[in-house]
Amino acid sequence: PINEKLVSGGSSSGSAVSVSRNYCLASIGSDTGGSVRIPAAWNNLVGLKTTHGVIDLTGVLKLCPNFDTLGPICKTVEDAHLLFNAMTNGSFQKLRRLKPENFRLLVIKNMFFEDIDSEIKDSFNNAVEKIIKSGATVEFRKLEEIDIAFEISKTVFPAEAYGIWHQEIEGNPDKMFVPIRERFRSGQEILAHDYIFSLYKLFDLRVRFLQKVMGFDAILAPTSPIKPPCITKLLNDHEFFTERNLLTLRNTRIANSLNLCALTLPTETDFSGLMLMGRPNSEFELMSIGLSI
């Protein structure tokens, strides 16, 4: 919708484009590694990645059942809240605007900013500066759990995806886009005991991470470190596709690995989402912060 030569965000991009082009008021996406938040960010929309298990996945085509989530893609935080309530069948609470001076926010300096596009970085810094000027407290830290979670994800995601889909893939390998097929096939070599060990290591890591961020209302990060690439180059250059695809999902995947809820907000710069991450099952609180921002 913004530039037809650029990719619109991957897995749930149709959902995001439908909202951006006013075909519908809101839409639903699935998010296993970022597929609600990336299309939302690249279409200048609001996207909510929910806590795993909060929304029933019955009838959903699952990719990695331990990480798959559903969430709304909308133009406003208020709309995301309304759709989230409908999807969870929850008791409705009206979002409230909070006083920024009560916010204590965290920016984790680890890999979220590696290889980042200069415009994305400037947009993020401008957003954080405005949040600080509004009265909020923003702290900057490095946390090793972020890097560990990213490394573990290289084992558990492909192992689970290939375990679920190997019969369909190997039954019709030519039907699959080559870089994605090979990504799935990387799970072929991962041993069952390595997958189980890594999964339980991840569960322990989640507890440690939540202990370290206790007292913070939300974590801030750029939704994606890069802007959307050219469609033609992605289709014609498989190495470029793989490199861009992995980099695109690097920041968002952390919330899936650590089972956080996460909200992406549009900024003043096209394609540059501001991501807020919160504790599991704190969607209402996170959207209230997002509304205030």
Side-chain angles (χ1 to χ4, degrees):
I2 300 164
N3 182 338
E4 64 182 20
K5 294 181 180 179
L6 305 181
V7 70
S8 51
S11 301
S12 299
S13 58
S15 295
V17 169
S18 297
V19 177
S20 184
R21 286 192 166 171
N22 298 313
Y23 300 153
C24 57
L25 292 173
S27 64
I28 295 169
S30 61
D31 193 313
T32 304
S35 296
V36 161
R37 289 161 289 162
I38 296 299
W42 283 356
N43 286 273
N44 297 342
L45 299 169
V46 172
L48 176 67
K49 181 263 173 206
T50 57
T51 308
H52 184 261
V54 163
I55 297 175
D56 184 17
L57 295 177
T58 301
V60 174
L61 195 69
K62 299 173 185 65
L63 175 62
C64 298
N66 278 307
F67 301 96
D68 295 334
T69 63
L70 294 177
I73 298 175
C74 306
K75 287 192 175 180
T76 67
V77 177
E78 294 95 329
D79 284 355
H81 171 59
L82 288 170
L83 186 50
F84 173 73
N85 266 274
M87 294 170 74
T88 55
N89 219 4
S91 56
F92 180 76
Q93 291 177 273
K94 188 175 180 180
L95 282 182
R96 57 187 185 276
R97 291 183 184 272
L98 307 172
K99 293 182 178 179
E101 55 264 33
N102 294 331
F103 294 164
R104 186 175 175 228
L105 306 171
L106 176 64
V107 175
I108 299 175
K109 297 190 294 182
N110 296 47
M111 62 181 186
F112 289 117
F113 300 93
E114 294 175 8
D115 301 316
I116 190 169
D117 179 273
S118 60
E119 286 187 41
I120 299 282
K121 186 177 181 180
D122 289 344
S123 174
F124 177 80
N125 289 337
N126 289 338
V128 170
E129 190 176 322
K130 287 183 179 181
I131 290 168
I132 293 171
K133 283 182 178 178
S134 74
T137 299
V138 178
E139 297 184 27
F140 298 80
R141 294 185 185 178
K142 281 191 174 182
L143 294 179
E144 64 174 357
E145 285 78 10
I146 294 294
D147 298 323
I148 297 170
F150 184 70
E151 288 303 313
I152 291 174
S153 72
K154 295 177 183 178
T155 297
V156 293
F157 281 83
E160 193 163 310
Y162 191 76
I164 297 290
W165 289 101
H166 68 278
Q167 290 183 338
E168 285 79 5
I169 292 169
E170 304 310 340
N172 295 283
D174 293 337
K175 287 189 175 182
M176 208 166 183
F177 186 50
V178 174
I180 300 297
R181 185 185 67 210
E182 297 315 306
R183 181 97 50 80
F184 271 73
R185 278 180 171 169
S186 68
Q188 199 171 21
E189 307 301 324
I190 297 171
L191 299 175
H193 64 259
D194 288 332
Y195 164 70
I196 296 296
F197 177 79
S198 296
L199 192 61
Y200 278 85
K201 187 178 176 183
L202 184 60
F203 293 159
D204 290 338
L205 190 71
R206 289 173 177 177
V207 176
R208 280 170 42 197
F209 177 79
L210 290 177
Q211 289 171 343
K212 285 198 175 181
V213 299
M214 193 176 293
F216 290 100
D217 298 299
I219 298 160
L220 303 176
T223 305
S224 173
I226 61 171
K227 293 184 285 189
C230 173
I231 294 171
T232 304
K233 190 170 182 183
L234 288 172
L235 291 174
N236 294 335
D237 186 339
H238 289 176
E239 284 188 17
F240 177 75
F241 176 94
T242 298
E243 184 265 330
R244 293 283 96 179
N245 185 255
L246 290 172
L247 185 56
T248 297
L249 296 170
R250 183 196 65 199
N251 290 5
T252 51
R253 190 189 293 180
I254 293 299
N256 300 87
S257 295
L258 295 174
N259 194 29
L260 309 174
C261 59
L263 181 72
T264 182
L265 304 174
T267 64
E268 294 175 352
T269 304
D270 282 342
F271 318 120
S272 179
L274 173 67
M275 181 166 61
L276 287 70
M277 293 177 278
R279 292 178 299 279
N281 304 301
S282 65
E283 282 85 356
F284 179 79
E285 291 79 6
L286 192 68
M287 284 187 282
S288 294
I289 296 169
L291 178 66
S292 306
I293 289 175

